[in-house]
Every structure is written in structure tokens, then in C-alpha cells.
Amino acid sequence: MNKESYEKIKNYMISCMRDGAHDKDHVYRVLYYALDISESYVVDDDVILAAALLHDIGRKAQFENPELDHAAVGAEMAYDFLLQLDWTREKAEHVKQCISTHRYRKNREPASIEAKILFDADKLDVTGAVGIARTLAYIGITGEPLYSVDVNGKIRDGTTDTEPSFFHEYNFKLKNIYKGFYTERAKELAAERKEITQSYYEAMLKEVGEPYDKADELIQKLIGD
């Protein structure tokens, strides 16, 4: 890929990004992870560059209509855009397939090594301190709470409740993502960050739980029976 093509793809990506948790800097981190991982494999460099840069361009459509899958929408957008840049249909289709299977919540397995690298690179940005920060940013954008409270006024830790929250997202995704990588380099990078994620969750659960445990007793002292 020459510089002109790279700049056109990058600028198109920037024009599509509207989500603070999935912004251009997230895309750049995913790109850099993908390039790091790719050093251990024989890959199509053009596909890696384009797929990494364009993997989240369907986010705006999904945000406006939650029934849409940003991976599917973005894959089609990327395919059409690359054809406009005179890419071959075969290579544009390869990028399309990489993007369509990069999403954690879908049961579509990435097939090619390029698709597996994109999947791993994207998931690395949900690990460690950055992963926590991005998760908190996203639940703020969507209006979800940090945690939910049961009928007895106790904090739900996210292990059994189904209401969206940071605690639920941790138990559903953040703590489980470490066992889902395809490449050894991604596994290595993720392993270094796992303890950070777990420690943060446990600390927040403790901090928010303690005041709730004492709240009823303290309130009753003030207001009586």
C-alpha cells in the first residue's frame, strides 16, 4: 500500500468516528497491536492495514440503531470504499471478512490469519487499564450505571444479574476476554494486564458496597421507625 492510499483510508476512518470509546485513537492502538502481532506471521499487509483502520466505521450506524451490527455494517462500508480506491474484489472481500468477524459478542469465528490478528488486536484494547477506561467511557455514553441494586438495597456484583452496568460488563466480558485470543503474542500482552482489570473491579465493588451495607442502619438512626 502506498502513502496516498493509506491516507485516504485513514481519512475515511476519521470521518466515520463519532464514539468517544471507539474513536480514532482506539483505531490507531488496534492498528499498532495488529502490526506487532503480524511480525510473527506471513500476512497480507494491505489487508491488515485496511481492516484495522476500518474495523469500527459501522459504529455510528449501530449507535443510532442498536438492532444493527456494527461489524456487518462496517464490513460492507469498507468493501464499497475499497472498491472505490480500485482494490480488487478479492482483496476488498478479504478485508470485509476480517471486519465482519472482529466482534466479541458474535459467534462468527475469524477464518484467515489476518482476521484472527484483527480480532486479537481489537480485544487487546479491552484489556488492562485502557480497557477499563474505555468500558467506563462507553457506559457513560450509553447512560448505563456503574452497578445496580437489588430489592434489599444491596449492590449487585454483576455475576448473576442481567441489567447493564459496569459490574455486569466486567463479569460478562472483561474478565473472560483473556481466554479468547488466537495468537501467542496477543496472549502474552493480555496476560500482563489481567491483574489490573481484576484488581480494579474488586476495589470498586468494595468501595461502593461498604456504604450500602451501613446505609439502612444510619438512615434509621436519623428518621426513626
Side-chain angles (χ1 to χ4, degrees), residues 17-199:
M17 308 312 288
R18 295 291 185 274
D19 179 341
H22 303 86
D23 57 6
K24 61 181 176 57
D25 294 307
H26 159 67
V27 172
Y28 293 143
R29 289 192 300 271
V30 170
L31 173 61
Y32 303 152
Y33 290 140
L35 295 177
D36 184 340
I37 297 169
S38 294
E39 290 188 332
S40 301
Y41 300 91
V42 177
V43 300
D44 187 320
D45 295 326
D46 290 349
V47 171
I48 290 289
L49 285 168
L53 285 171
L54 301 176
H55 78 277
D56 266 350
I57 59 175
R59 278 280 177 184
K60 181 175 181 289
Q62 180 179 301
F63 189 79
E64 293 174 347
N65 180 2
E67 293 185 2
L68 295 176
D69 173 6
H70 79 272
V73 173
E76 293 292 343
M77 292 171 62
Y79 178 78
D80 292 341
F81 178 72
L82 293 174
L83 290 184
Q84 292 175 29
L85 295 185
D86 294 327
W87 279 45
T88 65
R89 290 188 178 276
E90 180 182 11
K91 186 166 283 195
E93 179 67 27
H94 194 167
V95 172
K96 176 181 174 180
Q97 291 303 317
C98 290
I99 294 175
S100 69
T101 58
H102 85 273
R103 194 178 181 192
Y104 177 77
R105 285 181 168 84
K106 291 297 179 180
N107 293 323
R108 296 186 60 192
E109 293 284 333
S112 67
I113 184 58
E114 291 84 1
K116 291 175 181 177
I117 288 173
L118 176 62
F119 181 95
D120 281 5
D122 188 47
K123 300 309 154 291
L124 279 171
D125 212 40
V126 193
T127 62
V130 171
I132 291 168
R134 291 185 58 234
T135 301
L136 292 173
Y138 189 70
I139 68 172
I141 292 169
T142 57
E144 296 175 5
L146 292 176
Y147 52 85
S148 59
V149 182
D150 66 20
V151 294
N152 298 313
K154 301 299 182 183
I155 300 291
R156 293 189 175 110
D157 64 6
T159 56
T160 57
D161 53 292
T162 58
E163 295 181 30
S165 70
F166 171 73
F167 286 172
H168 177 263
E169 185 72 358
Y170 170 80
N171 283 281
F172 177 76
K173 181 178 181 180
L174 295 185
K175 79 173 185 181
N176 295 316
I177 204 165
Y178 295 89
K179 57 189 177 185
F181 291 97
Y182 291 94
T183 63
E184 291 305 314
R185 177 57 175 160
K187 293 175 184 177
E188 176 187 338
L189 292 170
E192 298 171 359
R193 306 173 183 187
K194 185 175 182 179
E195 186 177 346
I196 296 172
T197 310
Q198 182 177 344
S199 296

